[in-house]
Amino acid sequence: MSLIKLTIKGISYSQTQSGAYALVLSEIEGTRTLPIIIGAFEAQSIAIALEKEIRPPRPLTHDLFKTFADRFEINVKQVIIHKLVDGVFFSSLICERDGVEEIIDTRTSDAIALAVRFNAPIFTYENILDKAGIYLKIEEELFMEEDLESEEIELQLEEEISQESSFSNLTSEELHQQLNDAVTNENYELAAKIRDEISKRS
């Protein structure tokens, strides 16, 4: 079976599972998308890797894996989502060291988080897209932006409304200071909200 290359379309809060997120992948040469339900930590890890402005003061688990792999000259060449059973996706990391390839089983959310860090392509098979893919007719329905370069990955984690409204009373300099403080304190949920407010003003 031929492989179909995917790209990350976006992340949104899951409408079906409380506390979870929907990672949406889309085929590069087509209109089908592959929505995958992932946990909050994995969603945060993927979003942070995509958003270059937010740099954790300490490495996340996936950052540690990347540093470990780099140190021992292990490269993740690609990620393949190869199986779907009872709504659960199974994936593999195709790794290479000294010209020798190894295949490692992994959760799909971890595989995507690592693919972003290694700039590795993401693939799946036609039968999986046929089974779980949907046609993206109206992108607004999935709360996705068209272009990742201009896309704001909204984590939409629980925060008080009063806190969000207070951002509008701050100057840009104060917002940047709060963003730095939030990242230093590893409060990435707050950092994401502040970053969104800064993006609105730019």
Side-chain angles (χ1 to χ4, degrees), residues 61-80:
T61 303
H62 299 110
D63 296 323
L64 176 61
F65 184 99
K66 174 67 163 61
T67 301
F68 179 89
D70 289 344
R71 189 67 56 88
F72 291 94
E73 300 181 346
I74 301 168
N75 182 45
V76 173
K77 294 179 61 178
Q78 61 185 18
V79 166
I80 300 178

Side-chain angles (χ1 to χ4, degrees), residues 32-52:
R32 288 174 296 181
T33 63
L34 197 64
I36 301 173
I37 302 301
I38 63 176
F41 172 78
E42 291 78 11
Q44 177 177 280
S45 180
I46 294 169
I48 287 175
L50 291 171
E51 294 290 334
K52 307 303 181 184

Side-chain angles (χ1 to χ4, degrees), residues 115-169:
V116 174
R117 287 165 170 79
F118 282 89
N119 292 318
I122 305 165
F123 296 96
T124 193
Y125 292 108
E126 180 72 34
N127 65 324
I128 293 179
L129 267 178
D130 284 342
K131 190 185 300 184
I134 60 173
Y135 287 92
L136 194 60
K137 297 178 181 178
I138 304 175
E139 296 193 1
E140 288 76 14
E141 290 181 358
L142 291 176
F143 307 104
M144 300 299 161
E145 297 291 339
E146 184 145 352
D147 192 350
L148 267 179
E149 292 183 1
S150 62
E151 180 178 359
E152 296 175 359
I153 307 281
E154 301 226 4
L155 293 181
Q156 296 182 11
L157 299 173
E158 296 178 358
E159 289 202 90
E160 296 180 2
I161 297 175
S162 59
Q163 184 182 61
E164 294 182 5
S165 62
S166 68
F167 292 154
S168 61
N169 299 323

Side-chain angles (χ1 to χ4, degrees), residues 17-36:
Q17 293 189 29
S18 177
Y21 291 81
L23 168 66
V24 180
L25 306 175
S26 64
E27 58 179 336
I28 291 180
E29 298 181 358
T31 59
R32 288 174 296 181
T33 63
L34 197 64
I36 301 173

